[in-house]
Amino acid sequence: MAVTPESRQWAELFAERTRNDAGDGIAVILGFLGNPELISFAGGFPDPATFPAERTATILQDLASAGEVSAFQYAPTRGLAGPRDAIASRIESLQGARPGDDELLITSGGIEALELVAKSFLDTGDVVVVEGPTYLGAIMAFRNYEADVQAVPLDGEGLDVDDLAARLAAGLRPKLLYTIPDHQNPAGVTLSAERRRALVELARRYGFLIIEDVAYRELGFDGSALPSVWSIGPDVVLQAGTTSKTFFPGVRLGWAAGPADVVSQLISAKQNTDQCAAALGQRLFEEYVRRGWIDEQLELSRALYARRCERLLAALERSMPPGVEWTRPSGGFFSWLTLPVDAAALAFRAVEEGVAIVPGGPFYPDGRGTSNVRLSFSNVADDLIDVGIDRVSALVLAAHAA
Ligand SMILES: Cc1ncc(COP(=O)(O)O)c(C=O)c1O
């Protein structure tokens, strides 16, 4: 049959590299959120109560009345000077070191920093080491450039650096190692200070770049944080940050801070993606920081998420049957469950019961995670946490008994 425009299956023309199994995992998770009937532990979404709607309106009004132009104009690819200074100063006050002018790039969210890294570093078959489990968006970003993504296990103190060292000694040669040291997504664990230093030493010894994703770093429940990996090894670490969890995700704003030659390459890569992060968002965030509003909001946000987490852990304690284990985060949005039942089947049954949970599989590059579930407590009303966990626990009990 002749191929007519009507009969053409466009998917047949998609690039070969799109046919890997990176999948549409994030889209599936976002899809769950479209259904307001569901109690959703699915997305890593901030609670809208933390969104600074009025303050954003005030800043916008101020910019307009002051006749501001830069917020409405194209920005330089590396970012506007004022927002760059605000972000560098914030990094300095929170992490004890300031990225130099040629060591910082403003990005369109944390995910874009990962995309730019992948685009700049990865040829087909290059090895990228990730934590198993890890952020699904990172696996997808690396896989889209046909990398060989390999997972090193995690435990209660984060990435198992001894395991990594053994693999390196046995010949593994990654170009990149991706880690989320603080309140990890999805496991909710934090990399110990000792392991941070050991990791930097391994990067120096074996010549790979560490990508440190600090998405949840400022959301420690008690406000504290361990030294950032970048501050320990600025010669071998590129830090990817986001304002999504501390300001609001709709602004799509983040940063990359690291060695000057790496940042310079990312700037080149950005020139033919979106050219610059939205100037309006950059200026809004700069003002939000300069007026001290981010710190006021962070105190409220930390208290909110700490309370939610406590409620979730109490509900799990109360209603999960024996044989189920979970992590006890000290910040961030997530707890990671290990269950004696098939997680994908459980997630499917949970949706039927009006609860969205994410099975563990997509958080691994290698098919593991079949007995794990990620629970996000950040955007579930307190009383619904109890209802949701009761329902999931009943399903686990039933599946286990069957
Ligand atoms: C670990 C991690 N990195 C990056 C991101 C994405 O950040 P952004 O919204 O800035 O793209 C997320 C969002 O869930 C995340 O969990």
Side-chain angles (χ1 to χ4, degrees):
M1 190 179 84
V3 177
T4 65
E6 293 73 33
S7 69
R8 191 188 293 289
Q9 297 292 304
W10 293 112
E12 289 168 13
L13 301 190
F14 292 167
E16 199 62 47
R17 68 174 182 283
T18 67
R19 291 168 215 215
N20 62 39
D21 62 355
D24 56 355
I26 288 183
V28 170
I29 293 174
L30 296 184
F32 279 141
L33 281 125
N35 180 353
E37 304 293 307
L38 283 181
I39 299 173
S40 180
F41 296 97
F45 281 40
D47 190 311
T50 67
F51 296 162
E54 280 175 24
R55 287 178 157 178
T56 303
T58 303
I59 298 170
L60 196 50
Q61 182 65 55
D62 292 350
L63 294 179
S65 352
E68 161 108 11
V69 171
S70 66
F72 301 94
Q73 187 55 278
Y74 289 109
T77 303
R78 62 179 64 238
L80 288 165
R84 287 168 54 76
D85 176 65
I87 289 175
S89 301
R90 194 162 170 76
I91 292 174
E92 184 174 17
S93 73
L94 294 175
Q95 299 182 35
R98 184 183 179 93
D101 204 40
D102 52 357
E103 294 172 334
L104 181 67
L105 163 67
I106 298 189
T107 63
S108 300
I111 191 84
E112 197 213 9
L114 303 183
E115 164 71 20
L116 294 176
V117 167
K119 188 176 171 184
S120 300
F121 278 83
L122 299 177
D123 291 313
T124 303
D126 283 344
V127 175
V128 180
V129 170
V130 299
E131 294 158 339
T134 191
Y135 171 48
L136 173 55
I139 297 179
M140 290 166 63
F142 301 138
R143 283 250 174 95
N144 279 337
Y145 289 88
E146 303 179 283
D148 173 10
V149 182
Q150 299 194 22
V152 167
L154 281 172
D155 61 22
E157 287 184 48
L159 178 77
D160 185 341
V161 176
D162 286 342
D163 186 293
L164 173 67
R167 290 179 199 223
L168 292 167
L172 184 70
R173 289 294 174 270
K175 271 191 176 173
L176 305 173
L177 179 138
Y178 171 75
T179 178
I180 310 161
D182 312 289
H183 322 300
Q184 205 248 14
N185 178 5
V189 297
T190 291
L191 189 65
S192 69
E194 199 186 321
R195 288 190 186 181
R196 289 172 195 236
R197 286 189 288 274
L199 183 58
V200 165
E201 284 315 313
L202 287 175
R204 286 182 179 144
R205 183 159 165 203
Y206 290 97
F208 58 85
L209 182 71
I210 299 171
I211 312 301
E212 177 191 34
D213 186 330
V214 292
Y216 302 93
R217 179 175 171 82
E218 291 174 48
L219 289 173
F221 298 146
D222 66 2
S224 70
L226 291 171
S228 69
V229 183
W230 170 77
S231 71
I232 299 170
D235 51 326
V236 287
V237 181
L238 182 91
Q239 180 174 99
T242 174
T243 65
S244 287
K245 323 289 172 174
T246 56
F247 190 37
F248 58 96
V251 79
R252 311 303 304 127
L253 195 70
W255 69 87
D261 50 349
V262 173
V263 169
S264 158
Q265 186 57 45
L266 301 191
I267 291 171
S268 297
K270 190 169 170 59
Q271 269 154 12
N272 55 21
T273 52
D274 66 352
Q275 193 181 320
C276 61
L280 180 58
Q282 294 186 42
R283 286 289 290 119
L284 290 173
F285 185 67
E286 177 189 0
E287 288 300 317
Y288 194 63
V289 170
R290 293 206 190 282
R291 297 177 192 200
W293 290 346
I294 190 166
D295 293 314
E296 281 177 33
Q297 178 57 51
L298 269 172
E299 272 196 35
L300 301 172
S301 301
R302 289 184 188 121
L304 171 69
Y305 297 132
R307 193 185 77 219
R308 293 266 164 82
C309 181
E310 208 174 299
R311 186 106 181 201
L312 176 80
L313 297 179
L316 290 168
E317 199 69 59
R318 198 173 51 242
S319 67
M320 276 292 167
V324 181
E325 291 171 5
W326 52 88
T327 58
R328 304 184 151 270
S330 57
F333 288 0
F334 311 106
S335 176
W336 180 245
L337 269 60
T338 306
L339 310 122
V341 300
D342 180 72
L346 179 70
F348 188 74
R349 292 279 299 113
V351 171
E352 292 174 343
E353 296 294 324
V355 184
I357 56 177
V358 190
F363 300 102
Y364 286 91
D366 52 18
R368 283 181 292 157
T370 53
S371 57
N372 297 107
V373 158
R374 185 188 76 175
L375 293 179
S376 171
F377 49 79
S378 55
N379 193 22
V380 190
D382 295 21
D383 52 336
L384 292 181
I385 290 179
D386 298 340
V387 177
I389 294 304
D390 281 352
R391 288 187 200 165
V392 177
S393 301
L395 290 172
V396 175
L397 203 57
H400 198 37

